[in-house]
């Protein structure tokens, strides 16, 4: 069995595909999805438009085009929920997401007691710079996010120096979008520092949902769902990978 994401991932444009500056981004995304024959789409509308023209070469995956456009609007990458509905939604900071489920150690626990946590503290940046695409008439937008939290072991205050990561050619339709992108990329560069692997019962969770995890040590952790796998046996459990929110 394949996920419905394969429909747009394996479909490509036959000719060079171009969109002019000023194109409304979200309607363009919907049009590309529908060109693959899919019509079940849940869309959060937006007035965002492309600040400059974009072009993709023939043979480019439609999913690549869709996600490039969604990034420019400050949206999540395209995903499908359990009912097969394509979801086009704005990115939401983990701190602003509701907790979808609380995993708590005890008699009513729905997760196995064995779990693991991995940390990689090397080269974690405390500054992220995102550089957009300029043209002859306007310089590129630049978004900068920094970690200056004195309580963080990775902050500028804790290290006494900047460790910078950078993305160039970022598609962003406004300064707020590229600032949000830089903040998200800095957070993503830090969240792999703590990866939780947990096995739990079958639950109605979606990628990027926020969960609370209280194992036997009693410490409450917040994490976002990154990956879920299962078999097709009648008694299957979910092998989940989460990123702890710090």
């Amino acid at each position: 069995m394949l996920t419905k994401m394969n429909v747009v991932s394996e479909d490509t444009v036959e000719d060079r595909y171009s969109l002019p500056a000023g194109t409304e981004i979200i309607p363009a995304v919907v049009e590309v999805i529908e060109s693959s024959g899919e019509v079940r789409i849940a869309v959060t509308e937006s007035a965002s438009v492309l600040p400059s023209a974009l072009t993709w070469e023939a043979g480019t995956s439609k999913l690549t085009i869709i996600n490039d456009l969604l990034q420019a609007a400050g949206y999540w990458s395209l995903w499908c929920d359990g009912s097969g509905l394509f979801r086009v939604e704005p990115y939401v900071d983990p701190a602003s997401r509701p907790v979808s489920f609380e995993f708590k150690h005890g008699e009513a626990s729905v997760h196995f007691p064995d779990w693991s946590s991995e940390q990689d503290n090397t080269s974690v940046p405390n500054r992220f710079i995102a550089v957009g695409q300029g043209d002859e008439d306007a310089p590129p937008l630049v978004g900068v996010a920094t970690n200056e939290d004195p309580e963080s072991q990775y902050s500028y205050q804790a290290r006494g120096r900047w460790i910078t990561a950078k993305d160039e050619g970022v598609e962003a339709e406004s300064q707020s979008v590229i600032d949000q992108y830089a903040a998200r990329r800095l957070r993503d560069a830090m969240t792999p520092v703590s990866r939780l692997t947990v096995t739990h019962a079958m639950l109605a969770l979606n990628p990027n949902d926020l969960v609370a995890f209280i194992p036997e040590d009693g410490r409450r952790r917040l994490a976002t769902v990154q990956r879920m796998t299962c078999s097709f046996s009648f008694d299957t459990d979910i092998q989940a990978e989460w990123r702890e929110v710090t």
Side-chain angles (χ1 to χ4, degrees), residues 10-33:
E10 296 175 351
D11 195 3
T12 66
V13 290
E14 296 180 355
D15 302 304
R16 177 176 290 187
Y17 184 76
S18 299
L19 294 173
T23 298
E24 293 188 38
I25 296 174
I26 302 307
V29 167
V30 173
E31 182 178 318
V32 177
I33 298 172

Side-chain angles (χ1 to χ4, degrees), residues 180-232:
Q180 182 190 72
Y181 176 89
R184 187 198 314 182
R185 292 288 285 120
L186 178 61
R187 186 181 305 108
D188 287 347
M190 295 174 61
T191 48
V193 170
S194 183
R195 185 181 68 179
L196 306 178
T197 303
V198 181
T199 301
H200 62 76
M202 186 75 72
L203 298 170
L205 292 173
N206 290 308
N208 298 311
D209 277 352
L210 185 70
V211 297
F213 182 51
I214 311 174
E216 64 279 1
D217 63 8
R219 183 167 77 85
R220 189 174 192 264
R221 300 163 172 84
L222 294 178
T224 56
V225 177
Q226 298 298 301
R227 183 178 293 109
M228 296 181 289
T229 60
C230 66
S231 67
F232 289 97

Side-chain angles (χ1 to χ4, degrees), residues 23-224:
T23 298
E24 293 188 38
I25 296 174
I26 302 307
V29 167
V30 173
E31 182 178 318
V32 177
I33 298 172
E34 290 178 340
S35 73
S36 290
E38 295 297 327
V39 295
R40 298 189 63 244
I41 312 168
V43 182
T44 301
E45 301 294 342
S46 168
S48 298
V49 299
L50 289 177
S52 57
L54 290 179
T55 299
W56 295 267
E57 296 301 320
T60 301
S61 166
K62 290 183 178 180
L63 182 59
T64 296
I65 296 172
I66 291 165
N67 286 339
D68 285 348
L69 291 169
L70 291 175
Q71 175 187 296
Y75 274 47
W76 290 111
S77 295
L78 184 67
W79 65 285
C80 256
D81 62 22
S83 69
L85 190 67
F86 285 94
R87 305 284 286 270
V88 179
E89 301 169 330
Y91 173 80
V92 179
D93 187 278
S96 301
R97 301 174 207 170
V99 173
S100 297
F101 193 85
E102 183 171 273
F103 293 86
K104 188 174 183 179
H105 178 71
E107 293 183 0
S109 174
V110 296
H111 68 277
F112 282 80
D114 295 331
W115 59 280
S116 64
S117 175
E118 296 181 15
Q119 291 188 330
D120 179 6
N121 298 328
T122 61
S123 302
V124 176
N126 51 23
R127 179 169 60 187
F128 197 97
I129 298 175
V131 181
Q133 297 193 33
D135 54 35
E136 296 179 355
D137 300 319
L141 294 172
V142 178
V144 180
T146 60
N147 179 0
E148 300 181 66
D149 179 2
E151 300 298 320
S152 171
Q153 62 179 315
Y154 309 114
S155 66
Y156 175 81
Q157 288 84 344
R159 286 167 158 170
R161 64 187 181 96
W162 291 114
I163 299 176
T164 305
K166 180 180 179 181
D167 274 356
E168 296 183 346
V170 175
E171 294 294 342
E173 61 93 23
S174 66
Q175 186 64 50
S176 63
V177 168
I178 201 165
D179 287 342
Q180 182 190 72
Y181 176 89
R184 187 198 314 182
R185 292 288 285 120
L186 178 61
R187 186 181 305 108
D188 287 347
M190 295 174 61
T191 48
V193 170
S194 183
R195 185 181 68 179
L196 306 178
T197 303
V198 181
T199 301
H200 62 76
M202 186 75 72
L203 298 170
L205 292 173
N206 290 308
N208 298 311
D209 277 352
L210 185 70
V211 297
F213 182 51
I214 311 174
E216 64 279 1
D217 63 8
R219 183 167 77 85
R220 189 174 192 264
R221 300 163 172 84
L222 294 178
T224 56

